[in-house]
Amino acid sequence: MAVGFFAYFALVSIAAGALTVSLKHPVHCGLALLAVLLHVSGLFILLNAEFLWAVQVVVYAGAILVLYLFVLMLLNLKTDERYFHSSFLYFLVPAVLGSLYVLVLLFRSPFAGAKGDAPIAAVLQEGDTYAVGIKMFSDYLLQFEIVGVFLLGAIIGAIVLAKTPKPIDDAGDRS
């Protein structure tokens, strides 16, 4: 059953990733990127990494994608009516063949189903989410706050760059 879910999440992620880079309209690319991010979060669930699943959904599929679409709406890009780039078909066949080759390699891997070497009692004692949270907000708090300031600066910069300048009123300069 888990192999079936893995195959579904992997194939849809690959297909949506190909659509993300091949679609012409930026909003359609954003929706394909949303499909990629949500299916990658499904892969995290299969790995029993609930914290990474939550981060993937909340931060990437939620906040980052909304920021991406917000910038697209600020830029007000005009596109023609084509759905795909003109060179889409030239990349489709190699991408599909490459994806199938990677899947064959993954299924024939000697590491398939290998367990990690961390003791189960250590993981189950506090839980992986608690351990990651304590580590992030104690040892890496300064770096976490610096990234927040950088993201705020990037948002302010995008708004300043997208703002259209007002025309100068020359009527007051005439005598």
Side-chain angles (χ1 to χ4, degrees):
M1 180 96 167
V3 174
F5 280 119
F6 172 76
Y8 165 73
F9 287 134
L11 290 175
V12 172
S13 295
I14 291 168
L19 286 174
T20 300
V21 297
S22 63
L23 289 173
K24 189 77 171 166
H25 197 275
V27 176
H28 296 159
C29 292
L31 292 174
L33 181 63
L34 176 66
V36 170
L37 295 174
L38 291 177
H39 283 84
V40 167
S41 71
L43 290 172
F44 286 138
I45 287 292
L46 290 177
L47 292 172
N48 293 325
E50 292 85 11
F51 178 75
L52 291 177
W53 168 79
V55 167
Q56 181 79 16
V57 170
V58 172
V59 174
Y60 291 108
I64 299 296
L65 196 63
V66 166
L67 179 67
Y68 174 73
L69 290 174
F70 178 69
V71 169
L72 283 176
M73 296 305 165
L74 273 176
L75 293 177
N76 196 15
L77 298 174
K78 303 289 186 212
T79 60
D80 52 353
E81 295 299 318
R82 291 181 298 168
Y83 287 109
F84 297 108
H85 290 285
S86 60
S87 61
F88 172 71
L89 293 177
Y90 296 117
F91 295 110
L92 179 66
V93 173
V96 168
L97 291 176
S99 300
L100 291 175
Y101 179 68
V102 168
L103 282 176
V104 167
L105 288 179
L106 283 174
F107 285 124
R108 296 183 64 197
S109 172
F111 301 107
K115 303 290 183 193
D117 58 355
I120 296 173
V123 175
L124 294 178
Q125 183 177 0
E126 295 292 336
D128 57 348
T129 305
Y130 178 79
V132 170
I134 291 298
K135 194 72 164 169
M136 183 169 62
F137 290 117
S138 62
D139 295 343
Y140 300 107
L141 181 62
L142 179 63
Q143 293 89 341
F144 187 74
E145 294 296 330
I146 289 172
V147 167
V149 171
F150 283 158
L151 287 174
L152 177 65
I155 292 171
I156 292 172
I159 291 172
V160 168
L161 289 174
K163 186 177 178 183
T164 57
K166 294 181 182 177
I168 298 174
D169 186 24
D170 291 333
D173 294 336
R174 296 181 191 172
S175 306

